[in-house]
Amino acid sequence: MRINPSGASSATARQDGLSYSGVAASNKLASNDYNRCLRYKSQFQSASSSTQIPVGLITAIASRESRCGGALDSNGYGDHGNGYGLMQVDKRYHSLQGGPYSSTHISQATNILISSINGVANNHRSWTKEQQMQGGVAAYNFGVSNVQSIGGMDIGTTGNDYSNDVVARAQWFHNNGFN
């Protein structure tokens, strides 16, 4: 909650036909996913409780990655068949666990996020905890080694806005009952 994200890029905002970008667009995207996310709230809360990752952040990743399931095919895949489940675990880099909407999947993805945060923290020990967390969110999308600087954290992520959009959505979800 202490991060001031820039929010969604114009490209990301266009997913929902928005003509504006930034935090307002991230808020609208999260709001549009709210009802789908409610279906999995208890699972997100369970993953949060066992890992100490904020429930709003877990929910925001599911919102960004799969629109809380709205962008998945009938088998639970997205990203041209490479991403699996609500939080889009990439089958090229991970052994898939659980069903696409399952607590097992959400737990696996949350642990991948934790690994990403820890990797960024190890590489950037002088960054604040908030910066390391945001870098870990970016790394969840494109790998720990690609997180090089605070100012350029999202360059190369999907939409060049991944962590800033996810953090803005996380703040919205936190303020709207996912806390």
Side-chain angles (χ1 to χ4, degrees):
M1 295 302 290
R2 293 184 296 236
I3 296 172
N4 293 313
S6 58
S9 66
S10 296
T12 298
R14 279 194 295 271
Q15 290 176 3
D16 284 16
L18 304 178
S19 60
Y20 53 92
S21 60
V23 173
S26 294
N27 291 346
K28 181 62 175 163
L29 292 162
S31 173
N32 290 346
D33 293 340
Y34 182 78
N35 286 331
R36 281 187 303 275
C37 291
L38 275 176
R39 296 178 202 155
Y40 310 104
K41 184 177 180 180
S42 65
Q43 292 164 271
F44 297 145
Q45 288 172 322
S46 178
S48 174
S49 179
S50 66
T51 62
Q52 304 307 305
I53 295 296
V55 67
L57 181 56
I58 295 168
T59 307
I61 289 175
S63 171
R64 171 66 187 236
E65 288 287 343
S66 74
R67 305 308 301 268
C68 274
L72 300 179
D73 69 19
S74 60
N75 295 313
Y77 285 92
D79 190 25
H80 310 290
N82 293 312
Y84 181 72
L86 290 171
M87 296 176 72
Q88 291 291 276
V89 172
D90 194 315
K91 71 179 187 181
R92 296 170 293 185
Y93 304 102
H94 305 281
S95 296
L96 302 179
Q97 298 175 10
Y101 306 96
S102 71
S103 294
T104 302
H105 161 74
I106 294 166
S107 177
Q108 178 187 23
T110 302
N111 283 305
I112 292 168
L113 173 62
I114 290 167
S115 178
S116 297
I117 293 168
N118 290 339
V120 169
N122 285 334
N123 290 347
H124 302 286
R125 294 179 190 276
S126 66
W127 290 9
T128 67
K129 292 291 184 198
E130 292 81 11
Q131 291 164 333
Q132 291 170 348
M133 187 276 305
Q134 186 174 0
V137 171
Y140 182 87
N141 179 252
F142 78 153
V144 171
S145 64
N146 292 312
V147 178
Q148 298 294 317
S149 68
I150 294 166
M153 188 177 296
D154 278 334
I155 296 171
T157 63
T158 305
N160 290 315
D161 68 346
Y162 189 87
S163 73
N164 277 286
D165 178 38
V166 168
V167 169
R169 291 187 202 207
Q171 292 171 345
W172 187 91
F173 280 113
H174 176 84
N175 290 329
N176 288 276
F178 287 79
N179 49 22

